[in-house]
Amino acid sequence: MKNLMIRPITEGDILPHDLLLSADPSEEAIEQYLPYSTLYLAHLNDLPVAEYVLYPHNTEDIEIKNIAVDDAFQGRGIGKALLEDAVQRAIDDGYKCLLIGTSNASVGQLYLYQRQGFEISSIKMNFFTDNYPTPLYENGIQCRHMLMLTKVL
Ligand code: ACO
Ligand code: ACO
């Protein structure tokens, strides 16, 4: 995508709290994975519009723990560009598998991730009901289980 610049966050950048929380409503979960991850910021014409977070599990597997595009900029291909960027960085860094997880209710995200070559590889049953204090809903469906998807690189 033209004019979209994606780069690791630096000390001078403001942490994109709202974007992080739009992908993962648990502040506690974010605080747990963020220190061990790299956050990538996407700027469109110098305006921060999106982010994603890469968390390495080991030398072979790395996971997109969080990905979000500002509401006003969704549906323009930025999410797809972020996924392509994550794939390329994971390949360049020598990883074998890129993982991403989303809820059973996240129909659009499941569409997007599978269109980008991720395949459902496991299900963490009751992940959302066990780990989140209040029930979460998307598309009128309760988020109960975490579907893990994997792209072999
Ligand atoms: N519902 C239906 N279709 C969707 C949705 C959706 N929610 N999101 C994307 N798509 C489709 C688009 O229609 C498009 O289809 P096409 O290629 O056939 O035209 C394709 O997916 C690519 O869409 P993009 O425009 O690249 O996606 P976008 O920039 O809107 O970003 C994202 C997608 C990141 C999911 C965005 O909607 C968002 O930030 N949502 C809120 C936060 C969120 O749910 N993040 C993911 C949580 S899971 C995790 O973080 C690991
Ligand atoms: N994509 C997105 N949304 C859909 C789809 C679809 N393919 N099908 C139904 N919906 C949604 C509707 O938008 C509606 O949502 P709402 O209640 O929020 O407004 C809701 O589901 C109910 O829709 P209906 O109009 O009742 O569904 P419809 O009469 O279209 O029947 C069916 C759905 C049976 C899947 C039909 O599309 C069909 O015959 N498809 C081809 C055959 C098929 O795929 N069958 C299922 C295979 S699996 C199996 O057979 C066990």
Side-chain angles (χ1 to χ4, degrees):
M1 173 184 246
K2 266 194 202 163
N3 304 329
L4 188 73
M5 207 226 351
I6 307 173
R7 59 159 175 79
I9 196 165
T10 60
E11 276 191 9
D13 293 314
I14 296 164
L15 194 67
H17 270 115
D18 292 352
L19 286 172
L20 287 162
L21 285 168
S22 77
D24 184 348
S26 170
E27 190 112 39
E28 200 187 333
I30 294 169
E31 277 170 13
Q32 276 174 18
Y33 56 72
L34 211 50
Y36 306 101
S37 307
T38 306
L39 190 151
Y40 294 89
L41 267 183
H43 288 81
L44 190 63
N45 302 323
D46 293 331
L47 196 71
V49 292
E51 59 73 29
Y52 74 87
V53 172
L54 280 182
Y55 170 85
H57 285 266
N58 49 50
T59 54
E60 302 219 322
D61 301 336
I62 189 160
E63 180 175 344
I64 301 173
K65 276 283 190 189
N66 191 304
I67 180 168
V69 176
D70 186 306
D71 282 353
F73 295 89
Q74 288 179 11
R76 302 186 189 185
I78 296 177
K80 191 176 159 192
L82 296 181
L83 290 171
E84 288 170 351
D85 190 76
V87 167
Q88 197 52 54
R89 287 183 198 270
I91 291 172
D92 291 349
D93 290 346
Y95 290 97
K96 302 274 186 284
C97 287
L98 180 60
L99 289 82
I100 192 162
T102 196
S103 92
N104 57 286
S106 306
V107 180
Q109 290 84 334
L110 286 166
Y111 167 88
L112 170 60
Y113 303 158
Q114 289 179 91
R115 285 285 296 265
Q116 288 306 114
F118 290 81
E119 278 189 42
I120 294 173
S121 47
S122 65
I123 302 180
K124 295 180 183 171
M125 296 299 287
N126 303 313
F127 179 87
F128 291 96
T129 44
D130 286 350
N131 292 293
Y132 289 74
T134 50
L136 303 171
Y137 288 85
E138 248 182 274
N139 304 302
I141 304 168
Q142 188 173 0
C143 304
R144 292 182 185 277
H145 316 298
M146 170 87 91
L147 275 68
M148 295 303 302
L149 296 95
T150 302
K151 186 177 169 85
V152 177
L153 304 172

